[in-house]
Amino acid sequence: MSVILAIESSCDETAAAICRDGEILSNIIASQQIHTQYGGVVPELASRAHMQQIVPVVSQSLLEAAVPLTAVDAIAFTQAPGLIGALFVGAQFARSLSLALDKPLIAVHHMQAHVLANLIGAEKPAFPFLCLTVSGGHTQIVRCLSPYELVVIGETMDDAAGEAFDKSAKLLDLPYPGGPLIDQYAKQGNPKAFRFPEPQIPGLNFSFSGLKTAILYFLQENTAKDPAFVEKHKADICASIQYRIVSILMNKLKKAAVDTGIKTVCLAGGVSANSGLREALQQTGAEMGWRTYYPALQYCTDNAAMIAMTGWYKYLQQDFSPLDSVPTARAGW
Ligand code: KG4
Ligand code: ZN
């Protein structure tokens, strides 16, 4: 039996999880509320909050899993990508534990971990599969051949899908992060009420910056005529924005499935918590004959269970990292 303790600190969630032989025993997340008042994540404040939260969060993860620290066989941590100061806190904590316990250290790539969140639990996709990974910083279509062989075959050329949600929400004066709020309002709105443009980008890449500009002009024009326009039509505007973001994502995913011939299709990342996207995957999957999967909601947004799962696969390969491995803000696989 092997126990992995995992730490995630790449952005504004301080998280720790325990995994035993590929099964998640605990998944603790402390979300940093301090950023809401600034309308976005303030890196310096994120690092400080990680410093405050990391000991209680790790202690809680061990307690909930009923695993003593001495039973831990390896320590996994998020090495990249993310806010560099935030990453340093988790990395430094992980390497200190590794040194103190004399147990191996496992460096995990955050985006690989989002994809492998689909392997948590009983119902898992079989390889090969495609994964649409949509988060606050990334939008990728990933061809997944094994837990160790992930190839990005499409990605955004500008904003990420999560940014498209959050920036649209900001234009509507909704607090950060606005993605989940757009999802909530969209449930009461008509997705066809307003028509936003779909960019014509060749291949499997995405672009969301034109959509953001179109929404800005649309709001400026309509509020000039009626200052209460947003208040009167909030649900319809949110539903129409969500409809367009989801259709951009699904059209590329369809193309990727046709191009690669792969019919097992997954979602991952914070935006995969979006109810419209989850429904669209099921609906498109039924039309196209796909087997479809998405992680449970607590494994979509940033969490350490996905780091633990990826750490477990790396542990099986004895893929350990030297104690002097340094986090990087940006990194390939
Ligand atoms: O994966 P994640 O937690 O952090 C990054 O690695 O970036 O993703 C955060 C993103 C934010 O942009 C947030 O607004 C978005 O995921 N998000 C959602 C929903 N829940 C989280 N976007 C749309 N609908 C949701 N329900
Ligand atoms: Zn993430």
Side-chain angles (χ1 to χ4, degrees):
M1 282 212 298
S2 303
V3 173
I4 313 288
L5 162 62
I7 292 165
E8 153 65 33
S9 70
S10 63
C11 192
D12 59 342
E13 253 90 33
T14 315
I18 303 290
C19 157
R20 184 162 56 208
D21 294 339
E23 187 196 346
I24 300 300
L25 301 184
S26 66
N27 180 41
I28 307 299
I29 304 174
S31 291
Q32 304 175 359
Q33 303 305 331
I34 187 153
H35 307 287
T36 310
Q37 60 189 288
Y38 300 99
V41 178
V42 182
E44 167 78 17
L45 296 178
S47 307
R48 284 167 186 250
H50 285 307
M51 290 288 285
Q52 287 167 332
Q53 293 295 336
I54 197 153
V55 172
V57 163
V58 169
S59 303
Q60 188 64 21
S61 73
L62 289 161
L63 202 69
E64 268 199 22
V67 166
L69 191 55
T70 48
V72 169
D73 294 295
I75 298 104
F77 70 101
T78 303
Q79 186 179 33
L83 302 172
I84 194 69
L87 288 165
F88 273 140
V89 177
Q92 190 56 20
F93 195 84
R95 83 176 66 201
S96 305
L97 273 181
S98 164
L99 195 62
L101 300 173
D102 194 21
K103 297 293 177 188
L105 188 65
I106 302 173
V108 170
H109 194 287
H110 184 85
M111 299 315 293
Q112 180 185 11
H114 269 306
V115 173
L116 298 192
N118 280 288
L119 303 184
I120 298 174
E123 280 223 359
K124 328 179 193 304
F127 290 95
F129 61 81
L130 289 178
C131 186
L132 172 70
T133 314
V134 272
S135 71
H138 293 77
T139 302
Q140 300 177 327
I141 298 178
V142 188
R143 184 180 187 152
C144 309
L145 304 173
S146 79
Y148 313 102
E149 294 165 281
L150 308 182
V151 184
V152 177
I153 57 173
E155 60 192 328
T156 184
M157 299 181 335
D158 41 57
D159 291 350
E163 266 178 294
F165 271 106
D166 295 340
K167 288 179 177 174
S168 305
K170 204 167 193 172
L171 294 173
L172 297 170
D173 270 335
L174 297 174
Y176 179 87
L181 291 167
I182 293 203
D183 193 358
Q184 286 310 312
Y185 282 110
K187 286 182 183 148
Q188 285 111 49
N190 171 9
K192 301 277 174 70
F194 305 107
R195 198 180 153 75
F196 297 112
E198 175 156 2
Q200 302 303 312
I201 308 294
L204 296 176
N205 287 336
F206 302 89
S207 168
F208 288 100
S209 62
L211 175 64
K212 181 185 62 190
T213 311
I215 294 167
L216 173 69
Y217 289 160
F218 165 83
L219 293 174
Q220 281 176 347
E221 207 174 290
N222 283 287
T223 45
K225 286 184 225 154
D226 175 5
F229 177 77
V230 170
E231 273 321 303
K232 283 184 196 157
H233 301 282
K234 202 175 265 174
D236 283 348
I237 300 170
C238 288
S240 303
I241 292 171
Q242 180 166 300
Y243 172 84
R244 181 51 74 215
I245 295 174
V246 168
S247 80
I248 292 170
L249 293 170
M250 290 311 302
N251 284 341
K252 292 291 180 168
L253 195 52
K254 267 196 238 174
K255 179 168 167 44
V258 171
D259 288 1
T260 60
I262 295 175
K263 284 179 165 270
T264 302
V265 183
C266 306
L267 301 179
V271 179
S272 67
N274 183 267
S275 59
L277 183 59
R278 288 164 93 91
E279 260 172 47
L281 180 77
Q282 280 182 331
Q283 201 180 323
T284 311
E287 284 161 23
M288 305 280 289
W290 298 344
R291 286 166 300 274
T292 57
Y293 299 83
Y294 38 67
L297 283 176
Q298 71 267 32
Y299 305 132
C300 290
T301 43
D302 287 349
N303 66 89
M306 67 184 194
I307 307 299
M309 202 55 169
T310 310
W312 162 246
Y313 280 102
K314 294 188 107 173
Y315 184 84
L316 293 177
Q317 302 252 307
Q318 303 280 291
D319 183 358
F320 302 138
S321 306
L323 271 177
D324 63 356
S325 56
V326 178
T328 46
R330 296 211 157 264
W333 295 108

